[in-house]
Amino acid sequence: MSLMLSVGARVRKSPFFAATRKAGLTAASVYNHMFMPTSYGDPAAEYDRLVNGVAMWDVAVERQVALKGPDALKLARLLTPRNLDGLVIGQGKYVPICNYDGVIINDPVLLQVDEDEIWLSIADSDIVLWAAAIAGAHRLDVRVFEPDVSPLAIQGPKSTDVVADLFGDWVRELKYFGFLITELAGIPLVVARSGWSKQGGFELYLRDGQRGQELWDLVAKAGAPYGIGPGTPNYVERLESGLISYGADTDAETNPFELGMDNFINLDQPHEFIGKSALKAIKAAGVKRRFIGLLIDGAPFKGGNEHRWDVTLNGAYAGFASACAYSPRVGSNIGVGLISTAAIAAPDGVAVITDDGILPARAAPFPLV
Ligand code: THG
C-alpha cells in the first residue's frame, strides 16, 4: 500500500512541512504539486481523534487562487455556474467550476476577502492557469495569482473548544463557511468554519509562509488539554460522510449533476458563464450515473484500493468504486463511486470487482453512518 516518496525541489513543500515531519508523518501523496500528508502511522487513532476528539491537519495543498482587481467578481461569475448574488466579505461558498463541456474541473471554496479580492481555495487541478486564461481572453481588469496562504485544519467535535481558547468565544457563532481575517500572536491569518469532514471544525489560513512551525506549535499547545494530535484528510470518515474528492471520484466526463450538486448550479442566471449551454443540455437529458455510497460484503478491507474498482450489475459494467475501506462505525466495508442509476435502484445483483475477488454490494445514500 505504500511507496517511498522522493523529496526534491520540484514538488512544493507546505509551510507546515517540517512541523508535520517532527510530528511523525509517515506517508504523503501529491496534490496541487505539493506533498500532502496522508498518515502518521496509526490510522485507527487518527480516525478516533477526528470522530471523538480533535485533530490538526496540514492542508496547505488546498492552494488559494487570488482574483484581485476591479473585475474580480466578474471573473468569479464567469468561472462558476453557482449564483454569487449577495456575496459578502466573511462568508464562503462552495463553487463548482466546469469547463465549456459542463465537465467539472474543480470544486473550490470561494472566499470574498476584500471588496476587490476573491480567493478560490482549490482542489487538485491547475485553476490558476485556467482562471488567468479566461481573464485574459475576456480582457478583464484582474490579476490572477497564488498568494502566500496555507490552510491548517482543526477538525473534530472538540475543535470548537480549542479554537475558542485560541481566539475567543466569538468563533462559536461563526456560520458554516463563515470566516474572519485576524491574527494570532501577531501571525496574520483567516479563521474559517470549514473543513473536509462532517465532524465540525475550522481552518486557519496562514498568511505568512515563514511562520508555519510557530502556528502549528500554538495550535498543538492549545489543543493539548483536549488530546489534539496530528491527522490528515481522513480516508474513512469522508467515505462515511460522502464528501467528494475531485480527481479521485471524478473522471474526464463527470458533470456536477452526477455529483448531486444541483443546488450549486444555477442555470437561469442572465449572464454568461463557462459551461452554461452544455450544462443546460446535460440537465435536460438527465444523468445516467450518480455519486453514491456502497455497502460491500466480505472480510474487513486492510487499507484502501490502489485503483478504481469496477462495479457490475448482473455481471455487466455499471460504474466504478473510487475509494473503499472498512468503516468501524458502519461495521462493514464501504465505498463511494459513480454508479449507473439502474445499479443504484437494483435490490440485488450489484458487485464490486476487488483485487481480492468479486464482492456483493448495495448502493446506499449518504451519510453511510
Ligand atoms: N477547505 C478548503 N479548501 C478546500 C477544501 C476544504 N479545497 C479543496 C477541497 N476541500 C474542496 N472540496 C470540498 C468538498 C466538499 C466540501 C468542501 C470542499 C464541503 N461540502 C459540504 C457537503 O458536501 O455537505 C457542504 C457544502 C455546502 O453545503 O455548501 O464541505 O475542505 N479551505
Side-chain angles (χ1 to χ4, degrees):
M1 287 317 295
S2 66
L3 187 68
M4 295 290 282
L5 270 171
S6 301
V7 178
R10 188 182 56 77
V11 179
R12 303 182 293 190
K13 320 291 178 304
S14 158
F16 310 112
F17 188 66
T20 61
R21 294 186 87 179
K22 265 190 238 166
L25 185 68
T26 58
S29 182
V30 173
Y31 189 106
N32 277 326
H33 312 285
M34 293 181 70
F35 293 112
M36 175 177 73
T38 54
S39 180
Y40 289 84
D42 190 346
E46 291 165 40
Y47 175 85
D48 182 65
R49 278 201 285 271
L50 171 60
V51 171
N52 299 310
V54 55
M56 55 194 289
W57 307 348
D58 169 9
V59 286
V61 297
E62 291 164 353
R63 298 301 300 162
Q64 309 307 298
V65 174
L67 321 177
K68 190 169 168 60
D71 288 338
L73 182 59
K74 205 168 177 186
L75 176 57
R77 285 192 193 273
L78 260 175
L79 291 174
T80 181
R82 184 150 189 198
N83 187 337
L84 298 182
D85 289 354
L87 202 61
V88 291
I89 296 174
Q91 183 58 38
K93 260 186 186 205
Y94 188 40
V95 293
I97 295 182
C98 295
N99 67 13
Y100 289 94
D101 298 326
V103 169
I104 188 152
I105 58 169
N106 208 293
D107 65 334
V109 177
L110 178 152
L111 299 88
Q112 173 136 28
V113 292
D114 209 340
E115 285 304 333
D116 66 345
E117 183 169 355
I118 285 170
W119 293 351
L120 299 173
S121 181
I122 62 168
D124 187 18
S125 71
D126 295 324
I127 291 304
V128 68
L129 303 179
W130 176 258
I134 302 295
H138 288 259
R139 306 198 180 283
L140 297 181
D141 186 2
V142 61
R143 209 157 58 83
V144 178
F145 61 99
E146 289 189 307
D148 176 7
V149 177
S150 304
L152 177 67
I154 305 172
Q155 301 284 301
K158 295 180 182 168
S159 61
T160 312
D161 289 333
V162 175
V163 177
D165 285 359
L166 279 167
F167 291 94
D169 278 330
W170 62 266
V171 303
R172 299 179 190 277
E173 314 305 325
L174 264 185
K175 283 188 289 180
Y176 192 64
F177 282 149
F179 65 89
L180 189 82
I181 301 168
T182 179
E183 56 175 51
L184 181 67
I187 305 173
L189 47 73
V190 172
V191 182
R193 189 159 223 154
S194 55
W196 203 61
S197 86
K198 288 278 184 178
Q199 305 310 308
F202 295 81
E203 292 177 305
L204 310 183
Y205 290 66
L206 171 65
R207 301 185 76 183
D208 179 349
Q210 299 303 309
R211 303 181 78 171
Q213 183 74 54
E214 210 182 322
L215 180 60
W216 179 279
D217 290 342
L218 285 170
V219 172
K221 193 170 168 216
Y226 303 95
I228 203 169
T232 71
N234 194 272
Y235 192 89
V236 177
E237 192 273 345
R238 84 98 177 173
L239 298 179
E240 297 167 343
S241 300
L243 290 168
I244 293 158
S245 176
Y246 170 80
D249 303 330
T250 59
D251 60 18
E253 271 113 53
T254 307
N255 69 63
F257 300 112
E258 293 173 325
L259 297 172
M261 291 175 166
D262 304 57
N263 288 340
F264 309 135
I265 306 294
N266 308 115
L267 298 178
D268 47 4
Q269 301 181 87
H271 67 272
E272 274 310 310
F273 52 81
I274 293 164
K276 190 178 190 180
S277 55
L279 287 165
K280 280 186 174 171
I282 291 166
K283 189 174 184 177
V287 300
K288 295 174 191 67
R289 57 178 187 170
R290 282 184 197 284
F291 182 67
I292 190 92
L294 289 165
L295 302 174
I296 309 167
D297 291 351
F301 296 145
K302 297 271 187 314
N305 47 309
E306 288 193 3
H307 311 279
R308 286 179 180 148
W309 285 338
D310 280 1
V311 174
T312 56
L313 173 60
N314 301 323
Y317 180 82
F320 62 79
S322 38
C324 302
Y326 177 75
S327 161
R329 288 192 297 167
V330 180
S332 164
N333 290 322
I334 61 171
V336 300
L338 278 167
I339 316 290
S340 72
T341 50
I344 291 170
D348 49 45
V350 176
V352 180
I353 316 293
T354 77
D355 290 345
D356 296 319
I358 301 177
L359 298 176
R362 287 155 305 288
F366 301 118
L368 299 176
V369 175

